[in-house]
Amino acid sequence: MMTTKGIVTGIVSNLVTVEVDGPVSQNEICYIIADDTRLMSEVIKVIGKNAYVQVFESTRSLKVGDAVEFVNHMLEVTLGPGMLSRNYDGLQNDLDKMQGVFLKRGDYTYPLDTEKLWDFTPLVTPNTVVSAGDWLGEVIENHQKLKIMVPFAFEGKYTVKEIVAKGEYNILHDVVVLTDSNGNDHKLNMIQKWPVKKAVTAYKEKPRPFRLMETGYRPIDTANPIVEGGTGFIPGPFGTGKTVVQHTIAKQAKADIVIIAACGERANEVVEIFTEYPHLIDSHTGRKLSERTIIIANTSNMPVAAREASVYTAMAIAEYYRAMGLRVLLMADSTSRWAQALREMSNRLEELPGPDAFPMDLSAIIANFYSRAGYVILNNGEPGSITFIGTVSPAGGNLKEPVTENTKKVARCFYALEQERADKKRYPAINVLDSYSKYLEYPEFQAYIAEYMSPDWIEKVHYIKSRMIKGKEIAEQINILGDDGVPLEYHQTFWKSELIDFVILQQDAFDEVDTNTPMYRQRYMLDLVIGICHIDFIFEHFNDVGTYFRKIINICKQMNFSHFESDEFNRYKKQLEEALEEQPKVEAGN
């Protein structure tokens, strides 16, 4: 088959116009040859014999007349054993294999180790009938069982003709021979390739997700839970703690694989990920957290095309692991900079602009991307999931801008970080009243959480939210009328909302104990706080209310900082019981 060639006829920053001598297709990859350097590019628009390509590198020194070669396939990821603990860029180049401090233009590295031997265990026998995504064998990487599968690109049914015996092989060694319905044989090794912008559909069904994704974060798990296979996003202005929240979830969430896509992040934050992650201990296994983590990094000063590619590369890798029956957590920081890359390319193509000059189809692009996450039942009946949480960096903290608004339409969980809470040092600065989780309304989740936690769990969640709403309303009245301008019971209602805020909704991400709260402990503290909220205390003066509740809040916070049911925890629990006992109360029936 003849490959299409072309020559450069126009250059506008990273958008290059190429006159082609044959057929090309949307999203096809090509290489522009500039000064003996091959620059990877992607076709984003075709009009007649002109192809508009976005270059994934700097286009400096590129000139009209440079040769272009098309490769007849889309941007692909190379999938196989050996990706865990790797640091990739948006094109899946292995950053650790690259030489020097700065990335060289046109320097592409292979993402996998072709020489390492893997202990392969066959999972099928000859004459087994298989289809795309079915498991053929198994290898172990970083204590994780990974599956070697029928390539996702295969269509129809295949019969296993041969499969190698249990033993050590590298990823290039042919481990299985499949025969298609026409009698043709296909030799397969442990590698497969998949176009990043095409969703993997090698599964039986995709039901609504229902199982709680435990993050150890009370404002999420208790107030606005996310589920395995769910979608959420975290918008917030600069300095409100988006990155800390994301990193804490990545460290603590009950997931088999964590993929972090630093999409257009500032370079210092990316460096922080690279320097911190190798030293973090996984609270679930006691080993290095990096063992089950893949980092895909594109800083904000990299070309916009590479920034756009990075989120798709991350999602394609996540789908690969989901097809193994694993729970994958994908974190993207920040989808705003991905959307800005889309806007830049759209503007260069002189397309009709939408709101704030973003592409007119921005909502469809975001919806298509988020829809690739989810909970699936594989062909063999096993479940797998991709839980996707993105951050959004709205300019000036404006939550009405297009990226936030369009993400809100598709993400089921919304965690609004608030500047006011951050200024008051109430971290995480998630405003529980502006935030929401649609999963609380799902009958599947309601049935699951009633059995897992308690039958009245969702009632309790709604109770603390209604208490927070009352507390906020009273705070505004006190602010206008003064402390002595409202009845005493208003002060008590306000301070009970403060008790919920300080003890349940605030959490110290840097405290060894408080950073990660298991669900049994969240249930205990929630019941404790609600129990206090149900008590009608008697006070003589509004100053007494604040003094008393500050004491209660302080004791409860010390309980949060103590190991559950330790001597220290029980000592504070006893102090709390004594404090509750000594304060006069309204007798029941009065």
Side-chain angles (χ1 to χ4, degrees):
M1 184 179 171
M2 290 287 291
T3 56
T4 301
K5 299 188 183 303
I7 58 165
V8 173
T9 57
I11 305 160
V12 181
S13 189
N14 282 79
L15 179 69
V16 174
T17 311
V18 178
E19 188 176 307
V20 296
D21 65 3
V24 295
S25 58
Q26 185 86 355
N27 299 118
E28 186 176 343
I29 292 297
C30 62
Y31 287 90
I32 301 173
I33 299 149
D35 302 332
D36 298 323
T37 303
R38 290 168 64 83
L39 305 180
M40 189 191 272
S41 314
E42 180 186 29
V43 176
I44 56 173
K45 191 176 183 181
V46 182
I47 300 177
K49 62 180 180 179
N50 288 326
Y52 295 85
V53 305
Q54 56 176 349
V55 187
F56 294 119
E57 305 268 10
S58 166
T59 53
R60 189 174 294 170
S61 82
L62 204 63
K63 56 190 182 296
V64 170
D66 282 341
V68 183
E69 292 177 0
F70 292 81
V71 296
N72 199 32
H73 67 72
M74 295 195 281
L75 179 63
E76 295 175 327
V77 276
T78 302
L79 304 167
M83 292 196 292
L84 298 182
S85 305
R86 297 278 182 183
N87 301 320
Y88 293 122
D89 72 357
L91 304 178
Q92 212 197 358
N93 292 301
D94 190 337
L95 296 174
D96 297 323
K97 290 180 183 174
M98 292 186 166
Q99 302 295 316
V101 178
F102 297 101
L103 301 182
K104 292 190 183 74
R105 193 172 70 153
D107 186 8
Y108 306 119
T109 58
Y110 195 69
L112 302 175
D113 185 340
T114 55
E115 294 178 6
K116 180 175 177 177
L117 296 177
W118 298 92
D119 193 2
F120 177 83
T121 304
L123 295 177
V124 292
T125 54
N127 299 321
T128 305
V129 177
V130 294
S131 56
D134 284 355
W135 303 347
L136 301 170
E138 190 173 78
V139 299
I140 294 177
E141 180 182 356
N142 294 354
H143 307 278
Q144 189 82 256
K145 288 182 178 178
L146 303 182
K147 305 295 186 286
I148 307 302
M149 298 172 280
V150 178
F152 302 137
F154 278 29
E155 295 178 0
K157 299 288 184 183
Y158 294 78
T159 305
V160 177
K161 184 177 181 182
E162 297 171 31
I163 188 160
V164 295
K166 179 176 167 57
E168 293 193 332
Y169 308 93
N170 65 32
I171 57 174
L172 298 175
H173 191 283
D174 291 336
V175 291
V176 68
V177 179
L178 299 183
T179 306
D180 64 23
S181 55
N182 296 322
N184 300 316
D185 288 349
H186 302 265
K187 292 182 178 180
L188 301 179
N189 55 29
M190 298 189 205
I191 305 169
Q192 64 167 305
K193 292 180 180 284
W194 184 256
V196 298
K197 291 189 177 175
K198 190 175 175 185
V200 174
T201 55
Y203 47 78
K204 190 161 57 178
E205 59 177 314
K206 194 175 185 181
R208 287 212 298 198
F210 65 92
R211 188 189 299 274
L212 177 69
M213 163 69 81
E214 295 180 36
T215 66
Y217 237 26
R218 293 188 297 271
I220 294 177
D221 293 350
T222 295
N224 291 303
I226 191 165
V227 295
E228 289 176 11
T231 54
F233 77 115
I234 309 170
F238 176 76
T240 51
K242 292 189 295 295
T243 306
V244 173
V245 170
Q246 258 206 333
H247 288 192
T248 306
I249 294 170
K251 281 189 290 186
Q252 297 173 182
K254 287 194 174 178
D256 301 309
I257 306 288
V258 178
I259 301 173
I260 297 175
C263 167
E265 264 308 334
R266 290 181 296 278
N268 61 323
E269 289 179 343
V270 175
V271 169
E272 214 172 88
I273 296 172
F274 285 146
T275 52
E276 278 184 18
Y277 251 78
H279 305 291
L280 293 175
I281 300 298
D282 186 344
S283 59
H284 303 296
T285 63
R287 297 188 297 272
K288 297 285 188 196
L289 184 65
S290 57
E291 284 186 6
R292 61 183 177 99
T293 304
I294 300 169
I295 297 172
I296 293 164
N298 269 98
T299 56
S300 49
N301 60 338
M302 287 182 173
V304 290
R307 192 190 309 171
E308 188 220 348
S310 60
V311 292
Y312 290 107
T313 299
M315 183 59 84
I317 293 172
E319 288 174 324
Y320 172 67
Y321 286 110
R322 176 175 66 184
M324 298 180 190
L326 299 175
R327 296 172 298 178
V328 184
L329 174 64
L330 173 55
M331 316 284 281
D333 193 3
S334 120
T335 55
S336 288
R337 298 192 181 106
W338 165 52
Q340 285 161 10
L342 294 171
R343 175 170 65 184
E344 233 168 287
M345 293 313 299
S346 174
N347 292 349
R348 286 172 192 164
L349 285 167
E350 298 180 357
E351 292 175 344
L352 186 68
D356 288 9
F358 283 102
M360 287 291 281
D361 59 348
L362 179 68
S363 62
I365 294 170
I366 292 173
N368 285 340
F369 184 76
Y370 270 77
S371 70
R372 290 175 66 174
Y375 176 83
V376 301
I377 305 296
L378 304 174
N379 296 335
N380 59 4
E382 293 290 320
S385 65
I386 298 172
T387 309
F388 177 63
I389 301 177
T391 64
V392 178
S393 311
N398 171 26
L399 299 186
K400 298 292 182 189
E401 56 86 48
V403 182
T404 309
E405 285 286 287
N406 285 307
T407 307
K408 233 180 181 180
K409 293 173 189 172
V410 291
R412 303 287 89 189
C413 292
F414 173 61
Y415 302 113
L417 293 176
E418 188 181 60
Q419 189 70 57
E420 188 182 344
R421 282 184 71 80
D423 292 342
K424 290 177 178 176
K425 299 292 182 277
R426 296 191 175 198
Y427 289 113
I430 298 171
N431 182 326
V432 75
L433 301 181
D434 289 347
S435 306
Y436 58 75
S437 168
K438 295 281 180 67
Y439 298 112
L440 289 168
E441 302 165 12
Y442 283 19
E444 300 94 330
F445 177 75
Q446 291 173 353
Y448 169 82
I449 206 72
E451 186 179 340
Y452 182 58
M453 296 300 289
S454 67
D456 58 348
W457 180 258
I458 291 180
E459 287 173 36
K460 292 173 182 174
V461 172
H462 290 320
Y463 174 80
I464 62 167
K465 287 185 179 181
S466 65
R467 277 281 182 184
M468 292 299 295
I469 292 169
K470 286 178 188 170
K472 186 181 179 185
E473 290 168 353
I474 289 170
E476 289 168 357
Q477 290 183 36
I478 292 173
N479 198 30
I480 296 166
L481 302 173
D483 284 325
D484 52 356
V486 297
L488 259 179
E489 61 263 26
Y490 277 35
H491 286 274
Q492 193 171 158
T493 303
F494 166 72
W495 276 102
K496 283 175 178 174
S497 75
E498 289 288 271
L499 175 70
I500 293 167
D501 194 341
F502 278 95
V503 181
I504 304 295
L505 304 178
Q506 291 180 46
Q507 199 164 343
D508 190 340
F510 299 97
D511 181 82
E512 181 192 349
V513 177
D514 196 36
T515 183
N516 191 353
T517 310
M519 289 309 294
Y520 61 84
R521 183 168 181 159
Q522 292 192 38
R523 177 172 55 200
Y524 180 90
M525 293 307 292
L526 184 66
D527 288 344
L528 182 75
V529 166
I530 289 176
I532 296 171
C533 289
H534 281 145
I535 301 171
D536 284 332
F537 297 101
I538 298 171
F539 295 100
E540 296 294 326
H541 193 268
F542 64 77
N543 283 337
D544 301 337
V545 184
T547 304
Y548 178 71
F549 272 96
R550 283 190 194 97
K551 178 182 174 182
I552 296 289
I553 287 167
N554 186 50
I555 296 170
C556 290
K557 284 182 75 175
Q558 295 308 315
M559 289 172 74
N560 280 341
F561 295 139
S562 309
H563 286 285
F564 192 56
E565 294 187 336
S566 63
D567 291 343
E568 186 184 18
F569 181 90
N570 290 329
R571 190 169 68 249
Y572 287 120
K573 182 181 169 184
K574 194 167 187 306
Q575 283 183 26
L576 180 64
E577 288 167 354
E578 290 168 355
L580 293 174
E581 197 63 43
E582 66 193 26
Q583 183 62 34
K585 305 168 191 67
V586 176
E587 293 298 325
N590 287 353

